Amino acid sequence: MIKLGVEQLRQLQLIQLEMLVEVDRICRKCEIKYNIIAGTLLGAVRHGGYIPWDDDADVALLRPEYEKFRKACKTELDRSRFYFQDHRNTKGYRWGYGKLRRKHTLFLREYQEDMPYKQGVFIDIFPLDGVPDNYILRSLYNFECFCVRKVLWSKVGKKADSIFWKRQIYKLLSNIPEKQIFKHYHSMICRSGRKRTEMVRILLFPTPNREWGYYRCWYEVSEQILFEGIEFCGIKDFDGYLRFKFGDYWSLPPEEDRKIHPVSKIRLIKN
């Protein structure tokens, strides 16, 4: 595992910033609504840019806007510098959301070295889908999301999990054809879009709160927010969102919790 030094981490952040600028450019041109979210929004509010130890960047779009963005990337994306991946255009890609990646870079997360696609430095592009308003139904839906996510993770989990019996379960799950998994995922997307719900979530990404979702209204009303000296679209009610997600978000976590994702190989370009 490679431990990123301060200078290398900053280079990584600046490459990701380049991709955030590209997302913003495309969305402004094509009138697509997006928001920086999670640690990226927290960094903007608390630090005016990246959380000093953060090694990723997150953008979210409600499902109709995400589909517009996917389509726009086919014609508007600067292909000399970037490429967009999701399971519909990249064979062997096993995540339920997209990644915008930088050409001429390499960023291999630990245990993902054998994934059969290009793995440059990336930012996550998350689609948000509706979840049931009824809490019990939402909890059951969360379990369904969990199961599908674990099946997709199985190709990595069968090597990465530290517990022997879990690795064996992942090994079995990894035999389920990807086509069948994503067919089920698309049926979930269709169900999620049948009616407007109060809450939404990234279906195949952990939602670490007991509400199993986030309020749709947060993603519908944005404002310009400075991140690394550049204006991006962020959730207007950032205080409500960040308190819901992080609690007392102004307090820094203890140093032992300021973790960077394990990386096995990295190649960056100088900005």
Side-chain angles (χ1 to χ4, degrees):
M1 185 184 78
I2 297 171
K3 184 176 181 180
L4 300 183
V6 174
E7 183 179 340
Q8 198 171 37
L9 176 59
R10 187 55 181 165
Q11 289 178 23
L12 176 67
Q13 292 172 345
L14 291 176
I15 294 170
Q16 293 170 346
L17 181 63
E18 188 181 11
M19 287 183 277
L20 286 173
V21 169
E22 178 71 355
V23 169
D24 180 74
R25 182 189 68 80
I26 292 172
C27 289
R28 287 179 189 273
K29 181 176 180 179
C30 300
E31 298 183 343
I32 298 169
K33 296 179 180 178
Y34 80 93
N35 286 285
I36 56 172
I37 62 162
T40 308
L41 182 60
L42 173 58
V45 172
R46 194 173 67 192
H47 302 272
Y50 274 97
I51 297 171
W53 55 90
D54 203 1
D55 65 345
D56 60 15
D58 301 314
V59 170
L61 307 90
L62 292 168
R63 174 61 67 175
E65 302 301 304
Y66 178 83
E67 296 302 327
K68 289 181 193 175
F69 182 79
R70 282 193 79 253
K71 185 177 180 180
C73 280
K74 295 177 182 178
T75 56
E76 303 298 333
L77 185 65
D78 180 357
R79 294 179 179 274
S80 69
R81 295 187 293 156
F82 310 109
Y83 56 103
F84 177 79
Q85 293 178 330
D86 70 5
H87 69 279
R88 283 176 277 180
N89 70 7
T90 304
K91 187 176 180 180
Y93 186 95
R94 296 176 68 88
W95 321 120
Y97 47 91
K99 292 180 185 289
L100 185 65
R101 294 190 188 264
R102 185 61 164 91
K103 284 187 171 181
H104 314 301
T105 67
L106 182 65
F107 190 75
L108 292 181
R109 289 269 175 88
E110 193 175 28
Y111 300 112
Q112 296 186 31
E113 299 88 349
D114 296 329
M115 301 303 272
Y117 50 81
K118 294 186 293 183
Q119 298 188 65
V121 172
F122 67 89
I123 63 172
D124 288 317
I125 311 293
F126 291 118
L128 297 160
D129 293 288
V131 292
D133 289 326
N134 178 276
Y135 182 75
I136 294 175
L137 293 178
R138 195 162 66 247
S139 299
L140 292 172
Y141 198 39
N142 177 70
F143 181 69
E144 183 179 358
C145 293
F146 169 84
C147 291
V148 176
R149 188 174 77 248
K150 289 301 180 182
V151 173
L152 288 172
W153 173 251
S154 61
K155 289 282 188 183
V156 178
K158 67 181 182 180
K159 296 183 297 179
D161 202 285
S162 60
I163 300 174
F164 174 78
W165 64 266
K166 286 187 177 181
R167 291 200 301 273
Q168 305 315 302
I169 291 175
Y170 281 132
K171 189 177 293 186
L172 291 173
L173 293 176
S174 69
N175 293 316
I176 299 174
E178 287 179 31
K179 185 176 180 180
Q180 293 304 117
I181 308 169
F182 283 115
K183 182 178 179 180
H184 184 81
Y185 174 47
H186 281 278
S187 75
M188 294 170 67
I189 293 171
C190 289
R191 276 183 279 146
S192 294
R194 283 176 186 162
K195 66 176 184 177
R196 178 184 170 84
T197 56
E198 183 184 22
M199 301 190 86
V200 297
R201 65 169 287 176
I202 307 158
L203 296 182
L204 299 188
F205 195 81
T207 301
N209 62 57
R210 292 297 175 180
E211 292 297 328
W212 313 124
Y214 299 88
Y215 292 102
R216 181 188 294 269
C217 61
W218 283 331
Y219 305 97
E220 293 179 324
V221 184
S222 306
E223 68 177 6
Q224 296 297 298
I225 186 166
L226 277 178
F227 180 85
E228 298 289 341
I230 302 170
E231 286 192 337
F232 295 101
C233 292
I235 293 169
K236 185 173 183 179
D237 182 17
F238 63 80
D239 183 69
Y241 167 81
L242 292 174
R243 288 190 184 281
F244 184 85
K245 185 170 180 63
F246 297 109
D248 178 16
Y249 63 89
W250 286 107
S251 296
L252 296 177
E255 288 195 22
E256 61 268 21
D257 292 337
R258 303 176 190 179
K259 296 178 181 177
I260 297 175
H261 294 96
V263 178
S264 62
K265 192 176 290 187
I266 186 169
R267 185 177 70 249
L268 304 176
I269 52 176
K270 301 260 185 183
N271 280 319

